[in-house]
PDB file of all heavy atoms in Angstrom:
ATOM      1  N   LYS A 930     120.124 131.602  86.001  1.00 85.00           N
ATOM      2  CA  LYS A 930     121.240 132.158  86.769  1.00 85.00           C
ATOM      3  C   LYS A 930     121.701 133.502  86.226  1.00 85.00           C
ATOM      4  O   LYS A 930     122.125 134.355  86.978  1.00 85.00           O
ATOM      5  CB  LYS A 930     122.427 131.175  86.781  1.00 85.00           C
ATOM      6  CG  LYS A 930     122.090 129.826  87.369  1.00 85.00           C
ATOM      7  CD  LYS A 930     121.647 129.931  88.797  1.00 85.00           C
ATOM      8  CE  LYS A 930     121.255 128.579  89.356  1.00 85.00           C
ATOM      9  NZ  LYS A 930     120.261 128.649  90.374  1.00 85.00           N
ATOM     10  N   SER A 931     121.626 133.701  84.930  1.00 84.00           N
ATOM     11  CA  SER A 931     122.171 134.940  84.365  1.00 84.00           C
ATOM     12  C   SER A 931     121.182 136.093  84.541  1.00 84.00           C
ATOM     13  O   SER A 931     119.956 135.891  84.498  1.00 84.00           O
ATOM     14  CB  SER A 931     122.497 134.760  82.883  1.00 84.00           C
ATOM     15  OG  SER A 931     121.330 134.834  82.105  1.00 84.00           O
ATOM     16  N   PRO A 932     121.703 137.294  84.732  1.00 81.00           N
ATOM     17  CA  PRO A 932     120.828 138.459  84.866  1.00 81.00           C
ATOM     18  C   PRO A 932     119.932 138.657  83.639  1.00 81.00           C
ATOM     19  O   PRO A 932     118.772 139.031  83.780  1.00 81.00           O
ATOM     20  CB  PRO A 932     121.801 139.625  85.024  1.00 81.00           C
ATOM     21  CG  PRO A 932     123.045 139.013  85.551  1.00 81.00           C
ATOM     22  CD  PRO A 932     123.098 137.640  84.952  1.00 81.00           C
ATOM     23  N   ALA A 933     120.449 138.385  82.460  1.00 83.00           N
ATOM     24  CA  ALA A 933     119.653 138.565  81.239  1.00 83.00           C
ATOM     25  C   ALA A 933     118.460 137.599  81.216  1.00 83.00           C
ATOM     26  O   ALA A 933     117.354 137.991  80.833  1.00 83.00           O
ATOM     27  CB  ALA A 933     120.522 138.359  80.005  1.00 83.00           C
ATOM     28  N   ASP A 934     118.685 136.354  81.630  1.00 89.00           N
ATOM     29  CA  ASP A 934     117.589 135.382  81.662  1.00 89.00           C
ATOM     30  C   ASP A 934     116.543 135.761  82.711  1.00 89.00           C
ATOM     31  O   ASP A 934     115.341 135.617  82.486  1.00 89.00           O
ATOM     32  CB  ASP A 934     118.117 133.975  81.944  1.00 89.00           C
ATOM     33  CG  ASP A 934     118.892 133.398  80.773  1.00 89.00           C
ATOM     34  OD1 ASP A 934     118.691 133.864  79.633  1.00 89.00           O
ATOM     35  OD2 ASP A 934     119.709 132.481  81.001  1.00 89.00           O
ATOM     36  N   LYS A 935     117.012 136.249  83.858  1.00 87.00           N
ATOM     37  CA  LYS A 935     116.078 136.688  84.892  1.00 87.00           C
ATOM     38  C   LYS A 935     115.266 137.882  84.403  1.00 87.00           C
ATOM     39  O   LYS A 935     114.063 137.967  84.649  1.00 87.00           O
ATOM     40  CB  LYS A 935     116.829 137.022  86.179  1.00 87.00           C
ATOM     41  CG  LYS A 935     117.380 135.781  86.876  1.00 87.00           C
ATOM     42  CD  LYS A 935     118.104 136.142  88.147  1.00 87.00           C
ATOM     43  CE  LYS A 935     118.643 134.925  88.841  1.00 87.00           C
ATOM     44  NZ  LYS A 935     117.651 134.112  89.504  1.00 87.00           N
ATOM     45  N   LEU A 936     115.910 138.782  83.689  1.00 86.00           N
ATOM     46  CA  LEU A 936     115.211 139.939  83.147  1.00 86.00           C
ATOM     47  C   LEU A 936     114.156 139.504  82.134  1.00 86.00           C
ATOM     48  O   LEU A 936     113.064 140.063  82.086  1.00 86.00           O
ATOM     49  CB  LEU A 936     116.208 140.906  82.500  1.00 86.00           C
ATOM     50  CG  LEU A 936     115.614 142.200  81.961  1.00 86.00           C
ATOM     51  CD1 LEU A 936     114.965 142.999  83.070  1.00 86.00           C
ATOM     52  CD2 LEU A 936     116.674 143.016  81.267  1.00 86.00           C
ATOM     53  N   ARG A 937     114.462 138.469  81.342  1.00 91.00           N
ATOM     54  CA  ARG A 937     113.475 137.951  80.389  1.00 91.00           C
ATOM     55  C   ARG A 937     112.238 137.396  81.107  1.00 91.00           C
ATOM     56  O   ARG A 937     111.112 137.570  80.636  1.00 91.00           O
ATOM     57  CB  ARG A 937     114.092 136.880  79.501  1.00 91.00           C
ATOM     58  CG  ARG A 937     114.895 137.447  78.337  1.00 91.00           C
ATOM     59  CD  ARG A 937     115.179 136.438  77.254  1.00 91.00           C
ATOM     60  NE  ARG A 937     116.474 135.842  77.070  1.00 91.00           N
ATOM     61  CZ  ARG A 937     117.678 136.365  77.280  1.00 91.00           C
ATOM     62  NH1 ARG A 937     117.800 137.539  77.777  1.00 91.00           N
ATOM     63  NH2 ARG A 937     118.781 135.719  77.020  1.00 91.00           N
ATOM     64  N   CYS A 938     112.438 136.737  82.245  1.00 92.00           N
ATOM     65  CA  CYS A 938     111.298 136.232  83.035  1.00 92.00           C
ATOM     66  C   CYS A 938     110.428 137.388  83.522  1.00 92.00           C
ATOM     67  O   CYS A 938     109.192 137.322  83.445  1.00 92.00           O
ATOM     68  CB  CYS A 938     111.786 135.446  84.250  1.00 92.00           C
ATOM     69  SG  CYS A 938     112.401 133.813  83.882  1.00 92.00           S
ATOM     70  N   ILE A 939     111.064 138.433  84.005  1.00 91.00           N
ATOM     71  CA  ILE A 939     110.318 139.595  84.495  1.00 91.00           C
ATOM     72  C   ILE A 939     109.594 140.272  83.340  1.00 91.00           C
ATOM     73  O   ILE A 939     108.426 140.649  83.453  1.00 91.00           O
ATOM     74  CB  ILE A 939     111.261 140.568  85.226  1.00 91.00           C
ATOM     75  CG1 ILE A 939     111.810 139.894  86.486  1.00 91.00           C
ATOM     76  CG2 ILE A 939     110.548 141.875  85.563  1.00 91.00           C
ATOM     77  CD1 ILE A 939     112.978 140.600  87.116  1.00 91.00           C
ATOM     78  N   SER A 940     110.266 140.390  82.218  1.00 93.00           N
ATOM     79  CA  SER A 940     109.654 140.989  81.035  1.00 93.00           C
ATOM     80  C   SER A 940     108.465 140.152  80.564  1.00 93.00           C
ATOM     81  O   SER A 940     107.409 140.694  80.201  1.00 93.00           O
ATOM     82  CB  SER A 940     110.693 141.119  79.921  1.00 93.00           C
ATOM     83  OG  SER A 940     110.120 141.630  78.767  1.00 93.00           O
ATOM     84  N   GLU A 941     108.619 138.834  80.571  1.00 95.00           N
ATOM     85  CA  GLU A 941     107.520 137.940  80.180  1.00 95.00           C
ATOM     86  C   GLU A 941     106.331 138.105  81.117  1.00 95.00           C
ATOM     87  O   GLU A 941     105.181 138.140  80.679  1.00 95.00           O
ATOM     88  CB  GLU A 941     107.990 136.490  80.192  1.00 95.00           C
ATOM     89  CG  GLU A 941     106.904 135.504  79.812  1.00 95.00           C
ATOM     90  CD  GLU A 941     107.344 134.053  79.945  1.00 95.00           C
ATOM     91  OE1 GLU A 941     108.554 133.764  79.863  1.00 95.00           O
ATOM     92  OE2 GLU A 941     106.455 133.210  80.132  1.00 95.00           O
ATOM     93  N   CYS A 942     106.605 138.242  82.406  1.00 95.00           N
ATOM     94  CA  CYS A 942     105.533 138.445  83.381  1.00 95.00           C
ATOM     95  C   CYS A 942     104.779 139.742  83.070  1.00 95.00           C
ATOM     96  O   CYS A 942     103.545 139.747  83.019  1.00 95.00           O
ATOM     97  CB  CYS A 942     106.116 138.502  84.791  1.00 95.00           C
ATOM     98  SG  CYS A 942     104.907 138.943  86.057  1.00 95.00           S
ATOM     99  N   CYS A 943     105.506 140.828  82.824  1.00 95.00           N
ATOM    100  CA  CYS A 943     104.869 142.123  82.542  1.00 95.00           C
ATOM    101  C   CYS A 943     104.098 142.091  81.228  1.00 95.00           C
ATOM    102  O   CYS A 943     102.977 142.610  81.144  1.00 95.00           O
ATOM    103  CB  CYS A 943     105.918 143.229  82.512  1.00 95.00           C
ATOM    104  SG  CYS A 943     106.625 143.565  84.132  1.00 95.00           S
ATOM    105  N   THR A 944     104.666 141.460  80.210  1.00 95.00           N
ATOM    106  CA  THR A 944     103.984 141.343  78.922  1.00 95.00           C
ATOM    107  C   THR A 944     102.704 140.524  79.065  1.00 95.00           C
ATOM    108  O   THR A 944     101.650 140.894  78.541  1.00 95.00           O
ATOM    109  CB  THR A 944     104.917 140.702  77.876  1.00 95.00           C
ATOM    110  OG1 THR A 944     106.083 141.508  77.756  1.00 95.00           O
ATOM    111  CG2 THR A 944     104.240 140.568  76.531  1.00 95.00           C
ATOM    112  N   THR A 945     102.796 139.423  79.805  1.00 95.00           N
ATOM    113  CA  THR A 945     101.626 138.578  80.044  1.00 95.00           C
ATOM    114  C   THR A 945     100.543 139.368  80.772  1.00 95.00           C
ATOM    115  O   THR A 945      99.364 139.309  80.403  1.00 95.00           O
ATOM    116  CB  THR A 945     102.021 137.332  80.861  1.00 95.00           C
ATOM    117  OG1 THR A 945     102.999 136.591  80.138  1.00 95.00           O
ATOM    118  CG2 THR A 945     100.817 136.456  81.148  1.00 95.00           C
ATOM    119  N   LEU A 946     100.949 140.112  81.793  1.00 95.00           N
ATOM    120  CA  LEU A 946      99.971 140.903  82.536  1.00 95.00           C
ATOM    121  C   LEU A 946      99.301 141.946  81.647  1.00 95.00           C
ATOM    122  O   LEU A 946      98.085 142.113  81.691  1.00 95.00           O
ATOM    123  CB  LEU A 946     100.631 141.600  83.726  1.00 95.00           C
ATOM    124  CG  LEU A 946     100.867 140.742  84.955  1.00 95.00           C
ATOM    125  CD1 LEU A 946     101.628 141.515  86.020  1.00 95.00           C
ATOM    126  CD2 LEU A 946      99.559 140.223  85.511  1.00 95.00           C
ATOM    127  N   MET A 947     100.081 142.638  80.832  1.00 94.00           N
ATOM    128  CA  MET A 947      99.486 143.655  79.950  1.00 94.00           C
ATOM    129  C   MET A 947      98.513 143.008  78.973  1.00 94.00           C
ATOM    130  O   MET A 947      97.433 143.543  78.723  1.00 94.00           O
ATOM    131  CB  MET A 947     100.565 144.433  79.201  1.00 94.00           C
ATOM    132  CG  MET A 947     101.255 145.483  80.041  1.00 94.00           C
ATOM    133  SD  MET A 947     100.150 146.692  80.814  1.00 94.00           S
ATOM    134  CE  MET A 947      99.695 147.688  79.418  1.00 94.00           C
ATOM    135  N   ASP A 948      98.892 141.860  78.432  1.00 93.00           N
ATOM    136  CA  ASP A 948      97.987 141.152  77.522  1.00 93.00           C
ATOM    137  C   ASP A 948      96.688 140.770  78.232  1.00 93.00           C
ATOM    138  O   ASP A 948      95.600 140.930  77.684  1.00 93.00           O
ATOM    139  CB  ASP A 948      98.654 139.896  76.950  1.00 93.00           C
ATOM    140  CG  ASP A 948      99.779 140.213  75.985  1.00 93.00           C
ATOM    141  OD1 ASP A 948      99.879 141.378  75.529  1.00 93.00           O
ATOM    142  OD2 ASP A 948     100.579 139.294  75.694  1.00 93.00           O
ATOM    143  N   LEU A 949      96.809 140.267  79.462  1.00 92.00           N
ATOM    144  CA  LEU A 949      95.626 139.868  80.218  1.00 92.00           C
ATOM    145  C   LEU A 949      94.768 141.068  80.607  1.00 92.00           C
ATOM    146  O   LEU A 949      93.540 140.998  80.581  1.00 92.00           O
ATOM    147  CB  LEU A 949      96.029 139.087  81.471  1.00 92.00           C
ATOM    148  CG  LEU A 949      96.636 137.708  81.222  1.00 92.00           C
ATOM    149  CD1 LEU A 949      97.181 137.130  82.519  1.00 92.00           C
ATOM    150  CD2 LEU A 949      95.628 136.766  80.595  1.00 92.00           C
ATOM    151  N   LEU A 950      95.409 142.169  80.959  1.00 92.00           N
ATOM    152  CA  LEU A 950      94.662 143.367  81.353  1.00 92.00           C
ATOM    153  C   LEU A 950      93.918 143.978  80.169  1.00 92.00           C
ATOM    154  O   LEU A 950      92.913 144.649  80.351  1.00 92.00           O
ATOM    155  CB  LEU A 950      95.597 144.410  81.972  1.00 92.00           C
ATOM    156  CG  LEU A 950      96.206 144.035  83.323  1.00 92.00           C
ATOM    157  CD1 LEU A 950      97.193 145.115  83.775  1.00 92.00           C
ATOM    158  CD2 LEU A 950      95.142 143.824  84.375  1.00 92.00           C
ATOM    159  N   GLN A 951      94.416 143.733  78.954  1.00 92.00           N
ATOM    160  CA  GLN A 951      93.800 144.316  77.767  1.00 92.00           C
ATOM    161  C   GLN A 951      92.814 143.372  77.080  1.00 92.00           C
ATOM    162  O   GLN A 951      92.295 143.708  76.014  1.00 92.00           O
ATOM    163  CB  GLN A 951      94.888 144.754  76.781  1.00 92.00           C
ATOM    164  CG  GLN A 951      95.726 145.889  77.316  1.00 92.00           C
ATOM    165  CD  GLN A 951      96.900 146.231  76.428  1.00 92.00           C
ATOM    166  OE1 GLN A 951      97.199 145.534  75.468  1.00 92.00           O
ATOM    167  NE2 GLN A 951      97.586 147.309  76.750  1.00 92.00           N
ATOM    168  N   LEU A 952      92.552 142.224  77.703  1.00 89.00           N
ATOM    169  CA  LEU A 952      91.589 141.290  77.117  1.00 89.00           C
ATOM    170  C   LEU A 952      90.233 141.964  76.936  1.00 89.00           C
ATOM    171  O   LEU A 952      89.804 142.770  77.763  1.00 89.00           O
ATOM    172  CB  LEU A 952      91.412 140.066  78.006  1.00 89.00           C
ATOM    173  CG  LEU A 952      92.453 138.972  77.874  1.00 89.00           C
ATOM    174  CD1 LEU A 952      92.171 137.862  78.870  1.00 89.00           C
ATOM    175  CD2 LEU A 952      92.521 138.419  76.480  1.00 89.00           C
ATOM    176  N   GLY A 953      89.565 141.609  75.896  1.00 74.00           N
ATOM    177  CA  GLY A 953      88.232 142.146  75.658  1.00 74.00           C
ATOM    178  C   GLY A 953      88.222 143.601  75.256  1.00 74.00           C
ATOM    179  O   GLY A 953      87.226 144.285  75.441  1.00 74.00           O
ATOM    180  N   GLY A 954      89.345 144.101  74.731  1.00 83.00           N
ATOM    181  CA  GLY A 954      89.403 145.471  74.255  1.00 83.00           C
ATOM    182  C   GLY A 954      89.535 146.515  75.348  1.00 83.00           C
ATOM    183  O   GLY A 954      89.398 147.706  75.087  1.00 83.00           O
ATOM    184  N   LYS A 955      89.809 146.100  76.571  1.00 83.00           N
ATOM    185  CA  LYS A 955      89.989 147.062  77.656  1.00 83.00           C
ATOM    186  C   LYS A 955      91.331 147.759  77.484  1.00 83.00           C
ATOM    187  O   LYS A 955      92.302 147.153  77.061  1.00 83.00           O
ATOM    188  CB  LYS A 955      89.969 146.355  79.010  1.00 83.00           C
ATOM    189  CG  LYS A 955      88.702 145.602  79.294  1.00 83.00           C
ATOM    190  CD  LYS A 955      88.864 144.811  80.576  1.00 83.00           C
ATOM    191  CE  LYS A 955      87.766 143.787  80.692  1.00 83.00           C
ATOM    192  NZ  LYS A 955      88.139 142.677  81.523  1.00 83.00           N
ATOM    193  N   SER A 956      91.383 149.021  77.836  1.00 87.00           N
ATOM    194  CA  SER A 956      92.661 149.725  77.782  1.00 87.00           C
ATOM    195  C   SER A 956      93.395 149.502  79.099  1.00 87.00           C
ATOM    196  O   SER A 956      92.780 149.327  80.151  1.00 87.00           O
ATOM    197  CB  SER A 956      92.444 151.221  77.537  1.00 87.00           C
ATOM    198  OG  SER A 956      91.740 151.783  78.620  1.00 87.00           O
ATOM    199  N   ALA A 957      94.718 149.477  79.024  1.00 89.00           N
ATOM    200  CA  ALA A 957      95.533 149.317  80.222  1.00 89.00           C
ATOM    201  C   ALA A 957      96.826 150.098  80.030  1.00 89.00           C
ATOM    202  O   ALA A 957      97.390 150.122  78.945  1.00 89.00           O
ATOM    203  CB  ALA A 957      95.836 147.844  80.469  1.00 89.00           C
ATOM    204  N   ALA A 958      97.274 150.719  81.089  1.00 92.00           N
ATOM    205  CA  ALA A 958      98.507 151.498  81.060  1.00 92.00           C
ATOM    206  C   ALA A 958      99.352 151.119  82.280  1.00 92.00           C
ATOM    207  O   ALA A 958      98.969 150.233  83.059  1.00 92.00           O
ATOM    208  CB  ALA A 958      98.173 152.989  81.078  1.00 92.00           C
ATOM    209  N   ALA A 959     100.468 151.797  82.450  1.00 91.00           N
ATOM    210  CA  ALA A 959     101.369 151.497  83.567  1.00 91.00           C
ATOM    211  C   ALA A 959     100.656 151.648  84.911  1.00 91.00           C
ATOM    212  O   ALA A 959     100.919 150.889  85.848  1.00 91.00           O
ATOM    213  CB  ALA A 959     102.589 152.398  83.509  1.00 91.00           C
ATOM    214  N   ASP A 960      99.749 152.608  85.011  1.00 93.00           N
ATOM    215  CA  ASP A 960      99.004 152.788  86.262  1.00 93.00           C
ATOM    216  C   ASP A 960      98.111 151.593  86.566  1.00 93.00           C
ATOM    217  O   ASP A 960      97.781 151.336  87.723  1.00 93.00           O
ATOM    218  CB  ASP A 960      98.150 154.055  86.200  1.00 93.00           C
ATOM    219  CG  ASP A 960      98.991 155.317  86.234  1.00 93.00           C
ATOM    220  OD1 ASP A 960     100.156 155.240  86.672  1.00 93.00           O
ATOM    221  OD2 ASP A 960      98.474 156.379  85.829  1.00 93.00           O
ATOM    222  N   ASP A 961      97.714 150.866  85.541  1.00 93.00           N
ATOM    223  CA  ASP A 961      96.922 149.646  85.744  1.00 93.00           C
ATOM    224  C   ASP A 961      97.837 148.457  86.013  1.00 93.00           C
ATOM    225  O   ASP A 961      97.498 147.567  86.802  1.00 93.00           O
ATOM    226  CB  ASP A 961      96.075 149.350  84.500  1.00 93.00           C
ATOM    227  CG  ASP A 961      95.114 150.484  84.179  1.00 93.00           C
ATOM    228  OD1 ASP A 961      94.405 150.917  85.092  1.00 93.00           O
ATOM    229  OD2 ASP A 961      95.101 150.924  83.014  1.00 93.00           O
ATOM    230  N   LEU A 962      98.983 148.439  85.348  1.00 94.00           N
ATOM    231  CA  LEU A 962      99.918 147.314  85.469  1.00 94.00           C
ATOM    232  C   LEU A 962     100.558 147.236  86.844  1.00 94.00           C
ATOM    233  O   LEU A 962     100.653 146.156  87.426  1.00 94.00           O
ATOM    234  CB  LEU A 962     101.003 147.413  84.394  1.00 94.00           C
ATOM    235  CG  LEU A 962     102.152 146.408  84.505  1.00 94.00           C
ATOM    236  CD1 LEU A 962     101.660 145.003  84.213  1.00 94.00           C
ATOM    237  CD2 LEU A 962     103.289 146.786  83.570  1.00 94.00           C
ATOM    238  N   PHE A 963     101.014 148.360  87.366  1.00 95.00           N
ATOM    239  CA  PHE A 963     101.827 148.337  88.581  1.00 95.00           C
ATOM    240  C   PHE A 963     101.145 147.667  89.773  1.00 95.00           C
ATOM    241  O   PHE A 963     101.745 146.788  90.405  1.00 95.00           O
ATOM    242  CB  PHE A 963     102.309 149.747  88.939  1.00 95.00           C
ATOM    243  CG  PHE A 963     103.320 149.742  90.039  1.00 95.00           C
ATOM    244  CD1 PHE A 963     104.618 149.302  89.809  1.00 95.00           C
ATOM    245  CD2 PHE A 963     102.969 150.128  91.323  1.00 95.00           C
ATOM    246  CE1 PHE A 963     105.555 149.273  90.829  1.00 95.00           C
ATOM    247  CE2 PHE A 963     103.889 150.094  92.347  1.00 95.00           C
ATOM    248  CZ  PHE A 963     105.187 149.681  92.103  1.00 95.00           C
ATOM    249  N   PRO A 964      99.907 148.024  90.138  1.00 95.00           N
ATOM    250  CA  PRO A 964      99.306 147.343  91.296  1.00 95.00           C
ATOM    251  C   PRO A 964      99.099 145.847  91.066  1.00 95.00           C
ATOM    252  O   PRO A 964      99.238 145.046  91.993  1.00 95.00           O
ATOM    253  CB  PRO A 964      97.971 148.061  91.511  1.00 95.00           C
ATOM    254  CG  PRO A 964      97.756 148.919  90.339  1.00 95.00           C
ATOM    255  CD  PRO A 964      99.049 149.081  89.624  1.00 95.00           C
TER     256      PRO A 964
END
Side-chain angles (χ1 to χ4, degrees):
K930 301 299 178 209
S931 78
D934 289 338
K935 289 181 180 286
L936 183 61
R937 279 196 255 327
C938 284
I939 295 166
S940 177
E941 179 185 335
C942 173
C943 291
T944 301
T945 300
L946 281 175
M947 282 305 286
D948 291 345
L949 292 172
L950 292 176
Q951 294 174 352
L952 278 177
K955 301 173 195 156
S956 64
D960 290 340
D961 300 310
L962 172 68
F963 189 73

